Amino acid sequence: MKLETISRLYVAIKRTARSQLRHPQSAAGTLLVAFFLILALFGPQLAPHRNPNDQSHDVRVPPTLDLGALQLGEHPFGTDRLGRDVYSRVILGAGSIFRIAGLGTLISVILGSALGLFMGYQGGWVDEVIGRVIDALLAIPALLLALVLIGIIRNLDFAAGSWQAALADNVILLVISVLYIPIVARVARSTTLDIKTREFVEAAQIRGESQFYIIFREILPSVIPSLVVEASLRFSYAIFLVASLGFLGFGARPPSPDWGLMVNENRGGFYQLTPWALEFPALAIAILVIAVNLMSDGIRRAVQKGT
Amino acid sequence: MLQFLRRRFLFFFFTYLVSSLTIFFLLRVLPGDPARVIAGGREATEAQVAEIREELGLNASLPQQYLTWAADFLRGEWGDTIAFRGAVNRDLIIERSVNSARLALVALLLSVPLSLALGVIAGLFENKLPDILISLLTLSVVSLPEFVTGLFLINIVALRWGRSELAASLGWWFPSSSAVPANASFAEMLPFLWLPAFAATLVMLAYISRLTRAGVIEELKRDYVRTAALKGIPWRTVIWRHVLRNALLPTITVIAISISWLVSGLVVIEYVFGFPGLGSLLIAAIERRDLLLVQAIAMVTVTVILFANLFADVAYALLNPRVELA
């Protein structure tokens, strides 16, 4: 059993890698995502200035990055109007976007697939009722639902230190989960409907296995490929959403080195003074969004070819 | 057909019910006191809070509260705004909705023909150079968040290129901000609409053109196309008279979907450009803690989207006799 799992995993990874190589654009996307992931994980070690709000530098220093000579210089991306090193802030900002988007994707994939598996396997009126409610919820545009949720939660007064206050601090995480659990559930449900008619499921039912066993040990392994595709798609949307909400001022609060927030703080009149303080975080968002899209495209292609 | 219409209308009402319940209960069920927030937070006196609670009917049972609230919404009584003193939510929302609709109209007029053309070209040249170029363009430029493209348009196109001598000599001018008076006429507003509408176009371009491309490719593989070509009908005629006719039918649905895409895309775009639309009003309402205004905007938006979806499905079913009436 163990060995079989390992060998199956190995084959899947090999297939994905081979398919990625055949499509250079998705390989490039995956490499870029890996690069940003390294920034997110080791940001504090990689950034020249560990404190993103260190204002001890000269203000409005233009970028010293010299691509021709391959030199970074003192402040590769310049400093902003408060004298903060933009290069360090961009590197340190990778952490929060990955943490929120990744954690949000993880939560919604776990809960959403549990819900979808249950709905699909149970069938009947349970499935019908939950399914209709999900359809209705999905008719509301994601950003609108997100903004309404944020607008309400952020405006309720909570006692500091209570669990509600903790919830309000992680409102984006909550929003991503609320938005994506139904979507993931729908995918898991439709795959489950297909799998549950297979003979090995019937065999388990005749053996008298528990419902829990059948759902998680018999059906789940066959649903995983479509869940992987959905997870990568959700992750790319989550990155997009986190950046947009950060830009609208509903994500991290200043002075966090959040990319969307940095773009918002340096637009308008400030753009004339320090264009680089807007351009580099915006560029980071742009590259990450495109890279994640290319990667999830590649994953989808590899998985669909394999099945 | 009748059965399809009945089912579709039933689903419409059910969806409306679920989304209005969601919007209503988000405010009531979440921990915290909405009356206190509306009264002005911690500084409000107990008497003020009690007064607002009485005014909003928060002392009644939850189902009763929902019914009063829903009836008030349908009658157009959406309350007074806190954020914009002296105004009534309804007037504010209607004025801003008209502005957003103008922006959406310009955006649709720009994006639908452009993305249909790109999609058809890509589909006809499947996996050849034009297709690859178009998919690269749509994938890269268009997968960007709206605020990135919006800021690019403002700072590079409007401020840097728009002020160059070349642009001046061509008489080419784009205002970098769309902060026009909210009650301006359409003609006054039009020059300020192009840039945000173009930003919205970029958002929809990839989506519509990819769907169109898939439709064209699918139709080209059909037997009747081969038959027509073998009969000696010129290829041009086959494309125009047969393929495009069938491939473009789903466009109606696509346009309806783009309307709900537009709604969320426009929020960010209006905010970036400072355009006085419904989306920027929503952001302002959230920032200024005007919960009733947030609720009313959400309900109006959901209403628009549900009607657009209903209209699209019914129109599609009427126009396409082969539609699966499931």
Side-chain angles (χ1 to χ4, degrees):
Chain A
M1 181 64 203
K2 258 277 163 53
L3 198 68
E4 193 205 357
T5 322
I6 294 168
S7 75
R8 261 167 62 180
L9 201 67
Y10 171 73
V11 170
I13 291 173
K14 210 170 80 178
R15 204 170 55 207
T16 314
R18 210 181 275 157
S19 147
Q20 294 257 355
L21 283 180
R22 234 177 283 130
H23 299 272
Q25 75 271 31
S26 40
T30 310
L31 282 179
L32 277 171
V33 174
F35 169 72
F36 278 109
L37 187 64
I38 290 172
L39 288 189
L41 290 174
F42 304 106
Q45 282 75 37
L46 292 167
H49 305 283
R50 266 173 167 232
N51 177 6
N53 298 310
D54 179 4
Q55 301 186 5
S56 61
H57 315 284
D58 292 335
V59 294
R60 304 201 294 265
V61 176
T64 55
L65 178 72
D66 188 345
L67 281 178
L70 283 174
Q71 273 175 345
L72 286 175
E74 178 79 20
H75 298 294
F77 297 171
T79 62
D80 66 7
R81 60 179 192 277
L82 298 175
R84 298 178 295 191
D85 183 42
V86 178
Y87 180 66
S88 301
R89 284 175 70 76
V90 168
I91 290 179
L92 292 167
S96 72
I97 196 166
F98 263 90
R99 192 173 55 241
I100 298 174
L103 212 56
T105 310
L106 196 69
I107 292 174
S108 42
V109 166
I110 291 174
L111 295 182
S113 50
L115 180 65
L117 281 163
F118 175 72
M119 282 165 65
Y121 184 71
Q122 197 74 31
W125 67 268
V126 178
D127 177 39
E128 182 75 17
V129 170
I130 305 178
R132 288 289 151 176
V133 172
I134 286 178
D135 282 349
L137 275 180
L138 292 183
I140 310 174
L143 190 68
L144 180 78
L145 199 58
L147 285 176
V148 172
L149 260 176
I150 291 171
I152 290 172
I153 293 177
R154 272 172 69 109
N155 285 339
L156 295 172
D157 273 318
F158 298 121
S162 64
W163 66 269
Q164 291 102 327
L167 191 79
D169 283 341
N170 294 303
V171 63
I172 308 267
L173 201 59
L174 179 82
V175 162
I176 294 176
S177 317
V178 170
L179 290 180
Y180 294 163
I181 285 174
I183 301 179
V184 176
R186 205 152 73 158
V187 172
R189 173 188 171 271
S190 66
T191 320
T192 308
L193 284 181
D194 175 37
I195 303 293
K196 85 170 176 186
T197 56
R198 303 276 173 89
E199 277 148 359
F200 60 84
V201 179
E202 273 173 38
Q205 283 165 338
I206 293 168
R207 280 206 308 275
E209 302 285 5
S210 69
Q211 188 184 356
F212 185 85
Y213 180 93
I214 295 175
I215 289 180
F216 287 99
R217 298 300 292 273
E218 299 286 346
I219 297 180
L220 181 63
S222 313
V223 181
I224 280 179
S226 55
L227 283 180
V228 168
V229 175
E230 193 54 30
S232 71
L233 197 65
R234 285 304 119 213
F235 182 62
S236 67
Y237 282 117
I239 293 267
F240 194 102
L241 193 66
V242 172
S244 297
L245 291 174
F247 169 75
L248 292 175
F250 298 128
R253 287 165 205 262
S256 330
D258 181 86
W259 292 348
L261 190 66
M262 287 163 78
V263 171
N264 194 7
E265 281 173 341
N266 291 294
R267 69 200 188 102
F270 298 120
Y271 180 73
Q272 312 291 331
L273 288 173
T274 53
W276 49 85
L278 180 148
E279 282 160 0
F280 285 106
L283 196 66
I285 293 172
I287 295 174
L288 179 60
V289 168
I290 293 176
V292 172
N293 267 321
L294 291 175
M295 182 184 78
S296 77
D297 245 24
I299 291 177
R300 181 180 49 80
R301 208 181 294 119
V303 171
Q304 281 176 351
K305 209 164 258 172
T307 49
Chain B
M1 180 49 118
L2 222 70
Q3 204 196 348
F4 165 76
L5 286 179
R6 200 166 60 220
R7 284 189 66 141
R8 190 59 190 77
F9 274 98
L10 260 178
F11 181 65
F12 169 79
F13 288 117
F14 179 74
T15 314
Y16 210 11
L17 184 73
V18 170
S19 33
S20 65
L21 280 171
T22 312
I23 291 168
F24 174 78
F25 275 104
L26 272 179
L27 194 55
R28 294 297 192 278
V29 169
L30 281 170
D33 186 353
R36 177 164 290 279
V37 176
I38 290 164
R42 294 216 173 86
E43 301 98 68
T45 61
E46 278 309 314
Q48 281 172 317
V49 176
E51 191 189 336
I52 285 186
R53 188 169 291 138
E54 186 63 37
E55 197 180 302
L56 294 176
L58 292 183
N59 293 323
S61 70
L62 272 182
Q64 208 173 354
Q65 280 184 42
Y66 170 73
L67 286 179
T68 350
W69 175 78
D72 277 351
F73 176 78
L74 290 178
R75 270 185 292 151
E77 284 171 22
W78 303 342
D80 300 328
T81 129
I82 306 165
F84 303 87
R85 287 208 181 281
V88 186
N89 279 344
R90 187 185 52 215
D91 299 344
L92 207 57
I93 289 175
I94 289 176
E95 185 181 76
R96 298 301 193 92
S97 305
V98 170
N99 289 345
S100 283
R102 288 167 172 173
L103 182 54
L105 180 74
V106 177
L108 280 177
L109 288 179
L110 281 177
S111 64
V112 171
L114 188 64
S115 42
L116 285 184
L118 284 180
V120 169
I121 294 171
L124 292 178
F125 292 94
E126 189 191 354
N127 290 333
K128 297 203 183 84
L129 189 65
D131 182 28
I132 294 169
L133 284 180
I134 289 172
S135 77
L136 265 181
L137 175 89
T138 48
L139 248 178
S140 57
V141 182
V142 174
S143 55
L144 293 176
E146 298 90 351
F147 68 92
V148 174
T149 43
L151 286 170
F152 177 83
L153 290 175
I154 293 173
N155 291 318
I156 309 294
V157 176
L159 289 178
R160 210 169 283 173
W161 299 346
R163 284 184 186 167
S164 65
E165 287 184 14
L166 180 72
S169 63
L170 289 170
W172 187 66
W173 173 74
F174 285 122
S176 65
S177 146
S178 301
V180 287
N183 53 4
S185 72
F186 187 60
E188 284 170 345
M189 206 174 266
L190 192 60
F192 299 92
L193 290 178
W194 293 116
L195 228 42
F198 188 63
T201 301
L202 288 180
V203 178
M204 292 183 293
L205 201 61
Y207 187 61
I208 306 183
S209 64
R210 279 182 145 193
L211 273 179
T212 315
R213 174 183 179 271
V216 169
I217 289 173
E218 202 188 303
E219 286 303 319
L220 278 177
K221 288 190 182 130
R222 298 276 163 114
D223 287 342
Y224 74 86
V225 175
R226 201 181 48 194
T227 313
L230 288 177
K231 269 199 319 197
I233 296 173
W235 189 235
R236 186 183 294 266
T237 320
V238 177
I239 299 287
W240 280 108
R241 296 275 288 277
H242 300 281
V243 174
L244 289 190
R245 245 187 173 179
N246 286 318
L248 295 185
L249 197 62
T251 316
I252 311 159
T253 327
V254 169
I255 292 172
I257 296 169
S258 349
I259 289 177
S260 57
W261 265 54
L262 262 180
V263 170
S264 42
L266 280 186
V267 175
V268 179
I269 289 168
E270 284 175 4
Y271 177 76
V272 173
F273 284 87
F275 181 77
L278 199 60
S280 51
L281 184 69
L282 176 62
I283 307 267
I286 294 173
E287 279 170 352
R288 299 182 196 183
R289 319 181 120 227
D290 194 340
L291 293 180
L292 293 182
L293 187 55
V294 171
Q295 262 189 334
I297 295 174
M299 279 304 290
V300 170
T301 317
V302 164
T303 310
V304 171
I305 287 163
L306 293 184
F307 268 108
N309 287 346
L310 177 73
F311 175 76
D313 279 2
V314 172
Y316 188 57
L318 291 177
L319 287 174
N320 187 357
R322 290 171 310 163
V323 71
E324 273 182 42
L325 302 176

